Amino acid sequence: MRSASSGRAGGAPHDSRGARHPVTVMAEQMTDVFLDLGYRIVEGPEVEAEWFAFDALNMDDDHPGRTPGRAFHLEDPAEPGGRSGLVLRTRTSPAQVRAMLGRTPPLRLVCAGRAFRPDAADTIHSPVFNQVEGLAVDLGLTMVDLKKTLDHFAAAVFGRGTVTRLRTHRSAYTDPSAKVYVECAVCHGVREDVSEDAAGDAAAGPCGTCGGGGWIEWGWCGTVRPLVLTTCGVDPHRYGAFAFGVGVERTLMLRHGLKDISDIVGGDIRFPLGMDEFAPGGRPRPTPRPRSTATTRAVPAARAVPDLEIIPLARGGHGRRGPRGREAGGGLTRSQSLRRRIGHALAGAGYVETPRFPFVCDAAWDAFGLAPDDPRRATLTLTNPISPREPSLRTTLLPGLLAALGLNLALGNHYPALFEQGVVFAPRTGADPTLWPLADHRPTASRLDALNATVPAQPSHLAIALTGESSWARAVDTARTAAYVMGAGLITRPTEYAPWRPGRCLELLVGEAVLGHAGELHTATVQALGLPPGTSVMEIDLTALEHLTDQGGT
Ligand SMILES: [Zn+2]
């Protein structure tokens, strides 16, 4: 599938193969399952006020899930070492809280995005991971609706006929709650239920993927607790609500038989380039999986759930609104679809998407040659960083992307050209807990405003990093491509700005607004970072660019 296109992007003095990251593509495939069912994709801030992240989800102050062992807390800038009331969200659920507070039911929402937990990295844990969570609020929703929805989701992701199984679990957010298990893609769950009459099979030893149980933990689900609905302004006597969540990396690992999450998050471009399904021109698709009759026989409980393909969109007089069952105003937001288009355009131009962790070490700013008062040094600091070397949150994508560039060069990946679309974090003073609304009734608009004012701005940036002849001209061209995709004309103007090299740095402007910079890195910077001369980078503020083009700029 790849070979037909691998020779294009003619003339560039580099390996021209590009790719979006499999996690990005996987997350899109997962959310699109729900887009087709009329769900709306929502997002929320990654640095979140504790009230949205915990209190509103019924995780009170002594809940273990919000302790520094289980959540990254941000330092209060006024009191070093003190807690600010802001955290890196441990799940994407606060986006559901925000959505419920901002809309009236019925609701069908899917949140996709990054979440953070101070877990030590091993083969299945990463401190930064992606989630897809769903929420439905409507008249008369039950666990049966939830089960059908999960089975449809599993079938769309893992292949037709895949079913899920639920096992009771405790959760502050949902009750009843369950862990979601998906049928093992290797042994298809045959062994567990037919073992009594298939002694010969059992003698072959347990399945290496599921340990012989036939089911693998995929995520969680449950009925949203009435207290949470009340807090979010939804009448629990009138409406039912279910929620569920699964990890994107975990789904990718289960579907493609990957054994080590560090291959996914490590930054080696051979991983995205090696997954042909995700290459430009490749058609992303769920893996089809034939089912034997024996497999079907093994899961009678799942077979008893009728109409796997029918999700309850039309309950209680609500539902099918508009063409193809889409909720009015549903679908992708403009920024979501623009980000996808930019990702496709850059992968097509030979860039490999390389998402990086948002943690930075302050020494990076010295390598960049930033002045002591440069605003990029004003970072949000974690009270409990994974590593004392990286205690802060990034204000620019460049340190992480350049580290990945160095890693790929060290691995012998020739002429790597990397890109990342991700959020950066502006500093702001901490959230005052006295502002927090109570967690058992809907907060007033002014309380919500006060709370939101404490959450730092988190604009989306696009950055690229590459090496090779004329790389700086290519970096500038790439900025033009991104602006073009977003419907804006980009002007460039020579300037001097660290860490770019004087005479090889251009300001990127739309109208009079400076949105970013492109060019070749300063000689001192490449030396300090151990990168080859001629390394070039571009970074542009996509949120500002979108805002400008939104106002009818072009
Ligand atoms: Zn198995």
Side-chain angles (χ1 to χ4, degrees), residues 183-191 206-216:
E183 209 188 334
C184 173
V186 175
C187 70
H188 296 214
V190 173
R191 295 232 171 86
C207 165
T209 299
C210 63
W215 298 87
I216 297 176

Side-chain angles (χ1 to χ4, degrees), residues 403-421:
L405 191 74
L407 169 80
N408 278 286
L409 288 166
L411 289 168
N413 298 329
H414 297 299
Y415 301 111
L418 314 181
F419 81 94
E420 177 174 13
Q421 299 190 73

Side-chain angles (χ1 to χ4, degrees), residues 205-418:
C207 165
T209 299
C210 63
W215 298 87
I216 297 176
E217 188 182 333
W218 186 32
W220 60 272
C221 70
T223 302
V224 179
R225 285 181 188 263
L227 181 72
V228 175
L229 293 179
T230 306
T231 304
C232 295
V234 174
D235 180 358
H237 302 295
R238 186 148 185 243
Y239 291 102
F242 66 70
F244 55 88
V246 300
V248 178
E249 287 84 353
R250 181 160 183 80
T251 305
L252 192 67
M253 290 171 79
L254 290 179
R255 195 174 80 174
H256 295 271
L258 307 172
K259 299 286 181 213
D260 191 343
I261 197 171
S262 65
D263 293 338
I264 301 176
V265 301
D268 183 346
I269 60 172
R270 288 173 298 187
F271 172 68
L273 287 173
M275 295 195 72
D276 282 5
E277 183 184 327
F278 299 107
R283 277 183 65 80
R285 53 180 163 59
T287 310
R289 190 162 62 73
R291 286 173 60 91
S292 66
T293 48
T295 310
T296 311
R297 195 159 51 85
V299 283
R303 282 177 65 215
V305 178
D307 302 324
L308 285 183
E309 300 297 315
I310 299 171
I311 307 299
L313 270 177
R315 294 191 72 91
H318 298 293
R320 303 198 169 273
R321 290 163 291 260
R324 296 200 294 144
R326 291 203 175 198
E327 197 180 358
L332 295 177
T333 64
R334 180 164 176 266
S335 61
Q336 286 159 354
S337 82
L338 285 172
R339 259 180 285 150
R340 289 188 184 194
R341 284 166 58 197
I342 289 173
H344 282 291
L346 293 196
Y351 290 91
V352 181
E353 186 174 20
T354 315
R356 306 303 297 152
F357 290 178
F359 313 121
V360 290
C361 110
D362 296 339
W365 312 132
D366 298 330
F368 276 28
L370 303 193
D373 60 345
D374 190 292
R376 287 167 289 179
R377 284 184 184 267
T379 54
L380 293 166
T381 304
L382 298 164
T383 60
N384 53 328
I386 275 279
S387 139
R389 287 190 56 252
E390 295 186 320
S392 303
L393 293 181
R394 64 189 181 187
T395 50
T396 150
L397 302 181
L398 295 181
L401 208 54
L402 286 168
L405 191 74
L407 169 80
N408 278 286
L409 288 166
L411 289 168
N413 298 329
H414 297 299
Y415 301 111
L418 314 181

Side-chain angles (χ1 to χ4, degrees), residues 103-119:
R103 299 187 172 92
T104 49
L107 298 173
R108 301 276 187 285
L109 310 166
V110 171
C111 323
R114 280 177 142 188
F116 309 83
R117 287 178 200 172
D119 291 328

